[in-house]
Amino acid sequence: MKIGLFGGTFDPIHNGHIKVAQAAKNNLQLDKVILIPAGDPPHKAGKNLSDKMHRLDMARLAAEPLGAEVSDWELLQTGKSYSVDTVRHFQATCPRDELFFIIGADSFYDIPTWWHYRELLELCSFVVVARPDTDKNKLLAKYAGDEKPPRVFYLQDILVDISSTAIRDKVRRGEDISTLVPPAVQDYIHSHKLYTCGG
C-alpha cells in the first residue's frame, strides 16, 4: 500500500490542509492519507498550542469526509516530536507499505536543519507542495551533498492561501471562518469557544 503521512499542528485544521491531502492522494494514487497532529514540535517551541485533544478531535472531524485516517501517536509521546521518530514508527508498523511524507516547500527547504534528517531522507519519499514560483534547485541548496538524494514528488499549483494563525485571529475578532474550515470544525471551534479570549 501507498500511505501518505501528513503532519501538522492543525490548530485548527483548515480547508488548505484538506486540499493538500486530497491532491496528494489523487496525484500519487495513495491508498490512504494519515493526518498526524503534532505533539511537541521543535519548530513551534515557545508557542502556545491548543489542547492536544481539541486538535485531535478537529482533525478527526475534518478527516471523515476526506476518507483519511488520524493518528494520535505523536500526541501520546513525551518530549519533542521529531519527524524521523514518527516515520520510524510507521515504518515499523507498516513494513510492507511505501511511505510518502507530505510537506510544504518552505519546510522541505529547511529539512537539513531537522533532527537526524539524513535518516529521514532514507525512510520515505517526499510529496512537496510547491508554489508556482518554487525553484526546485533552491529547495535542495542547503543539503550537505553527502546524504542520500531524496525521492521527491512535487505538487504544483496547489494554492493554499489560508493559515491557522489567520483563522485564530478571525475567531478572536468574531469574524466569519465558514469558507476557511470544514463545517464540522467551525461548529467545534464555536461550541468549545476555542481561540476566544475566554476559550
Side-chain angles (χ1 to χ4, degrees), residues 105-120:
D106 292 347
S107 295
F108 184 70
Y109 178 74
D110 288 335
I111 275 189
T113 67
W114 290 19
W115 179 258
H116 289 189
Y117 87 97
R118 287 178 174 83
E119 180 183 353
L120 178 61

Side-chain angles (χ1 to χ4, degrees), residues 9 33 63 101 116 137 143 152 168 180-181 183 192 198:
T9 51
V33 172
F101 194 88
H116 289 189
N137 292 324
Y143 285 65
V152 183
R168 295 194 299 270
L180 305 176
V181 298
H192 289 83

Side-chain angles (χ1 to χ4, degrees), residues 6-24:
F6 187 15
T9 51
F10 299 142
D11 194 18
I13 192 167
H14 55 63
N15 290 339
H17 296 129
I18 303 306
K19 186 176 182 180
V20 167
Q22 191 66 65

Side-chain angles (χ1 to χ4, degrees), residues 60-78:
R60 285 174 171 161
L61 290 170
E64 188 172 347
L66 178 64
E69 296 182 10
V70 179
S71 170
D72 62 0
W73 187 80
E74 282 199 10
L75 298 176
L76 297 177
Q77 307 308 303
T78 57

